[in-house]
Amino acid sequence: MSRPKLPSWFPIDGYVLTLLTTVVVATFLPATGTASEVLGHVSTAAIGILFFLYGARLSTADMLQGLAHWRLHLTVLATTFVLFPLLGLAGRALVPHVLAPELYNGFLFLCLVPSTIQSSITFTSIARGNVPAAICAGSFSSIVGIFATPLLAALLISGGSAGFSADSLLKIALQLLAPFLAGQLLRRWVGGFLVRHKKVLGHFDRSSILLVVYAAFSLGMSEGIWRQISPVRLGILLGVEAVLLAVMLALTWYGAKKLGFERADRVAIQFAGSKKSLAAGLPMASVLFGAHASLAVLPLMLYHQMQLMVCAVIARRRGRDVLPGDAADALPAGTADSVPIGAAGVAPEGTAGEPMPPVAAPVPAGKIDK
């Protein structure tokens, strides 16, 4: 699916507008009855194929090599699955006077999903950080999140909104992990084909996400989602998420400095540790929340666009401020093609399968794709 062509000064990515348009279409023309059932099966299959492609694009050798930098990866995992959830739990103090009760579970859920991959790589590259570390950190986060996110949802989300069970964990593993591992196993045979057709497959990535969004909000219409949320409540949610993003950006940057990481590693930690994946969060929410998935993913969708716009500005400033002796590791040859584009949120921005931008290239705010 082609992105709308927008002026360079426009602050919102074209694919994000497409996502919002999909929500509007689902609001006025939701899938119902048999069409809804068929859509559910099709979206499940599409996500399975999507994660197969992620696995087939990821270089196993790069992943194994990245294990040597274990302190950095543990730091990113701790921010993603410990620090973020703690802040999400602290947000419960804002209910009901600041944060609407019907939105809080979605806010907490966004704190539980894994980090992104492609946008972490892109921002780290622009800021002259440790790009190979960003690749591995985002990939490890996505794999761990397949198990950690539903387990954390079961422990922390109250009211029975998250329908966690052994069956739901099995569904997530079969829908996300099994195709990913199959892609890894078949990579030596299909990798060349994926590189040659990366542009076409990028369209499939983005279309799959749109399909899941449409299915989630179609179900949400049957639950009366827009009758439960006022524009004022949405505005307040945006403000709370802006504070969350600011806190995480500060903690990952200055916390990494306190832990003794050098500048290039701090850049990777900041961008991999402060963001959340829409591509991984959407299918998980569909399994865990069922008809309530639209409320669960709405805070994640809003946070996703905010993180892109803010991190684009930060990455450009970091790239300009870098000293000659602090230049980051360059991307290894062929790494861009081996990255599991979209596994941690790349596809929703529309860059899936496209080449990485040059290091320190000027990028308009909001135009970084994931």
Side-chain angles (χ1 to χ4, degrees), residues 104-264:
Y104 173 69
N105 281 341
F107 174 78
L108 181 55
F109 177 71
L110 90 82
C111 293
L112 308 181
V113 301
S115 179
T116 66
I117 296 179
Q118 188 64 33
S119 65
S120 298
I121 298 168
T122 304
F123 291 133
T124 300
S125 175
I126 293 170
R128 297 181 181 270
N130 188 337
V131 177
I135 295 173
C136 295
S139 301
F140 294 150
S141 177
S142 294
I143 295 171
V144 171
I146 292 175
F147 301 99
T149 297
L151 289 173
L152 288 171
L155 292 172
L156 304 180
I157 297 180
S158 60
S161 296
F164 175 84
S165 64
D167 182 61
S168 64
L169 181 59
L170 180 61
K171 284 183 178 179
I172 291 173
L174 289 176
Q175 187 176 357
L176 306 183
L177 182 60
F180 181 87
L181 294 178
Q184 280 280 283
L185 292 174
L186 298 176
R187 183 178 183 273
R188 60 178 298 184
W189 294 285
V190 301
F193 174 85
L194 296 180
V195 171
R196 292 192 299 271
H197 298 86
K198 56 188 177 184
K199 186 172 183 179
V200 174
L201 293 173
H203 296 325
F204 176 82
D205 286 358
R206 298 189 294 274
S207 299
S208 298
I209 298 301
L210 292 177
L211 192 63
V212 176
V213 169
Y214 179 73
F217 278 88
S218 290
L219 285 174
M221 287 305 297
S222 66
E223 297 293 313
I225 176 177
W226 299 122
R227 293 195 299 270
Q228 302 177 48
I229 308 170
S230 67
V232 173
R233 290 291 196 180
L234 279 177
I236 294 174
L237 174 64
L238 278 171
V240 172
E241 292 189 348
V243 173
L244 175 66
L245 178 59
V247 168
M248 288 306 303
L249 286 169
L251 288 177
T252 50
W253 181 251
Y254 294 106
K257 183 178 182 180
K258 287 290 186 182
L259 291 174
F261 288 100
E262 61 182 23
R263 181 200 174 276

Side-chain angles (χ1 to χ4, degrees), residues 70-89:
W70 60 270
R71 286 185 64 247
L72 184 148
H73 303 315
L74 285 180
T75 301
V76 172
L77 289 175
T79 60
T80 302
F81 298 114
V82 178
L83 190 53
F84 253 115
L86 289 175
L87 292 175
L89 289 174

